[in-house]
Amino acid sequence: RKGSVFITGASSGLGLATAKALAETGKWHIIMACRDFLKAERAAKSAGMSKQNYTILHLDLASLDSVRQFVDGYKRSGRPLDVLVCNAAVYQPTAKEPSFTAEGFELSVGTNHLGHFLLSRLLLDDLKQSDYPSKRLIIVGSITGNTNTLAGNVPPKANLGDLRGLAGGLNGLNSSTMIDGGEFDGAKAYKDSKVCNMLTMQEFHRRFHEESGITFASLYPGCIATTDLFREHIPLFRLLFPPFQKYITKGFVSEHEAGKRLAQVVSDPSLTKSGVYWSWNQNSASFENQLSPEASDEEKARKIWELSEKLVGLA
Ligand code: NDP
């Protein structure tokens, strides 16, 4: 049978390019888990995906009710789940004030981390039950959360501190909206959320890899400077960022190339090692990359796991 892969945020950018790359192999059925059904349908059509290769299901990661409804709907459908890709994200680098999810969590960490945390926890048993030869749970990371890199040292840097804001619920009422308890900063909130993504992948690996055989992985696909991730950035930035990445840092990758990279992490028989953060060199060859000290801190990973369980109602 075809493999069954769920991709969140497949209506745009990396998620769409990955869905397209997998659809073209003819070996995958793609569940595009998207908040905007019509946009996803148009995106799949304009990418030339054939109808028999995908299904669109509604999922709004900024609402835990929506996550639960998505999971219930999927369970009733009787479909297998072989690979789950947590890809969707929001980035609000120019926001002066925080926005919030339905449950009142700061939007970037609430969507990118907490929404995906609940989704992947609720789908873990279904992944375990899959009889597919290589089942995988992939959480997209980023270089920007890794302070051991040049890009990760552009201020504001990721820093989760002692997690006091997360412990307080990131709601701006009786706690800060930032994980470390600081003042709201949209760019930093995004980077912090990516550190949570990479720590969550490793915690999944430690808790469940041996017993389940599931491959847990994260990746940095390269700087895909043309995606809608930068939609809220100022126009001048959006104009200059792609050529800057292409000609100065040389970190630029096209959506097509980045989609091929994530599709490899989904399906390549040689990328089955669990607990790995994949990156690609200038020749587009994959390698196991090093994470920053904070993005590989086991104690922090465990605390984030436990605090997140409370916030999403699992504990
Ligand atoms: P895009 O903005 O193009 O795609 C983000 C996707 O997430 C869209 O499909 C968007 O839906 C979806 N999304 C946002 N909020 C929600 C929500 N509440 N519920 C469901 N879906 C939601 O950005 P990219 O493709 O660049 O980003 C994809 C991933 O790649 C992210 O995890 C990002 O951190 C990562 N990444 C990107 C890099 C880059 O240079 N672009 C570099 C490193 C990592 P909609 O279409 O409806 O807006």
Side-chain angles (χ1 to χ4, degrees), residues 9-15 33-36 39 59-62 87-90 111 140-142 190 194 220-225 227-231:
S11 52
S12 164
L14 177 62
C34 298
R35 62 177 166 177
D36 183 337
K39 181 178 175 183
L59 168 67
D60 181 359
L61 288 157
N87 160 77
V90 285
T111 305
V140 177
S142 176
Y190 169 79
K194 291 279 114 186
Y220 172 62
C223 183
I224 332 160
T227 72
D228 275 349
L229 190 66
F230 308 99
R231 64 186 92 180

Side-chain angles (χ1 to χ4, degrees), residues 249-310:
T249 70
K250 306 222 174 3
F252 179 88
V253 287
S254 64
E255 295 180 31
H256 175 71
E257 173 61 24
K260 284 204 302 199
R261 292 178 179 182
L262 178 47
Q264 276 174 37
V265 182
V266 170
S267 65
D268 194 313
S270 66
L271 301 192
T272 52
K273 187 167 170 191
S274 184
V276 173
Y277 166 66
W278 296 104
S279 297
W280 285 259
N281 65 21
Q282 294 290 340
N283 304 322
S284 277
S286 58
F287 67 96
E288 286 180 37
N289 207 347
Q290 290 289 313
L291 288 158
S292 70
E294 183 169 54
S296 49
D297 182 331
E298 290 191 17
E299 184 56 22
K300 234 172 223 186
R302 187 181 57 76
K303 281 191 188 144
I304 287 171
W305 181 278
E306 288 167 3
L307 291 172
S308 303
E309 276 186 329
K310 281 192 194 133

Side-chain angles (χ1 to χ4, degrees), residues 21-265:
L22 290 168
E24 282 169 356
T25 67
K27 294 180 181 157
W28 291 91
H29 188 83
I30 297 114
I31 310 286
M32 300 170 70
C34 298
R35 62 177 166 177
D36 183 337
F37 191 92
L38 259 182
K39 181 178 175 183
E41 186 60 56
R42 288 198 188 107
K45 276 219 180 85
S46 67
M49 289 167 63
S50 121
K51 265 207 166 314
Q52 79 237 24
N53 289 334
Y54 70 91
T55 303
I56 299 168
L57 294 182
H58 182 260
L59 168 67
D60 181 359
L61 288 157
S63 155
L64 299 180
D65 275 348
S66 172
V67 173
R68 289 185 184 279
Q69 272 170 28
F70 172 86
V71 172
D72 288 348
Y74 148 71
K75 286 185 196 274
R76 277 197 304 271
S77 77
R79 274 176 200 285
L81 166 59
D82 306 316
V83 178
L84 171 62
V85 182
C86 297
N87 160 77
V90 285
Y91 175 46
Q92 303 192 294
T94 54
K96 301 265 181 293
E97 298 291 334
S99 328
F100 296 93
T101 67
E103 287 77 19
F105 307 125
E106 185 282 316
L107 190 69
S108 329
V109 175
T111 305
N112 309 354
H113 168 58
L114 291 170
H116 279 135
F117 180 78
L118 180 62
L119 179 72
S120 44
R121 285 291 303 275
L122 293 178
L123 290 176
L124 185 66
D125 278 342
D126 302 277
L127 260 184
K128 282 184 189 169
Q129 280 156 24
S130 152
D131 59 1
Y132 204 69
S134 178
K135 27 199 189 179
R136 307 183 189 186
L137 196 170
I138 299 156
I139 309 179
V140 177
S142 176
I143 196 171
T144 52
N146 277 298
T147 51
N148 58 342
T149 64
L150 202 61
N153 272 298
V154 176
K157 291 191 220 178
N159 175 14
L160 308 185
D162 64 3
L163 309 178
R164 68 180 63 179
L166 187 67
L170 298 174
N171 56 28
L173 296 171
N174 44 18
S175 83
S176 162
T177 54
M178 300 294 290
I179 293 180
D180 65 358
E183 285 281 302
F184 174 72
D185 180 319
K188 180 174 183 298
Y190 169 79
K191 294 177 190 182
D192 290 350
S193 76
K194 291 279 114 186
V195 176
C196 291
N197 285 156
M198 294 180 281
L199 287 171
T200 301
M201 177 282 285
Q202 295 163 82
E203 189 66 16
F204 262 116
H205 167 73
R206 282 189 285 272
R207 289 179 186 239
F208 299 108
H209 172 63
E210 236 174 73
E211 72 162 77
S212 68
I214 297 169
T215 297
F216 298 98
S218 185
L219 70 150
Y220 172 62
C223 183
I224 332 160
T226 52
T227 72
D228 275 349
L229 190 66
F230 308 99
R231 64 186 92 180
E232 292 185 32
H233 229 306
I234 55 168
L236 187 64
F237 177 92
R238 299 200 64 183
L239 183 71
L240 296 180
F241 192 52
F244 173 74
Q245 291 294 343
K246 249 182 222 163
Y247 304 114
I248 315 276
T249 70
K250 306 222 174 3
F252 179 88
V253 287
S254 64
E255 295 180 31
H256 175 71
E257 173 61 24
K260 284 204 302 199
R261 292 178 179 182
L262 178 47
Q264 276 174 37
V265 182

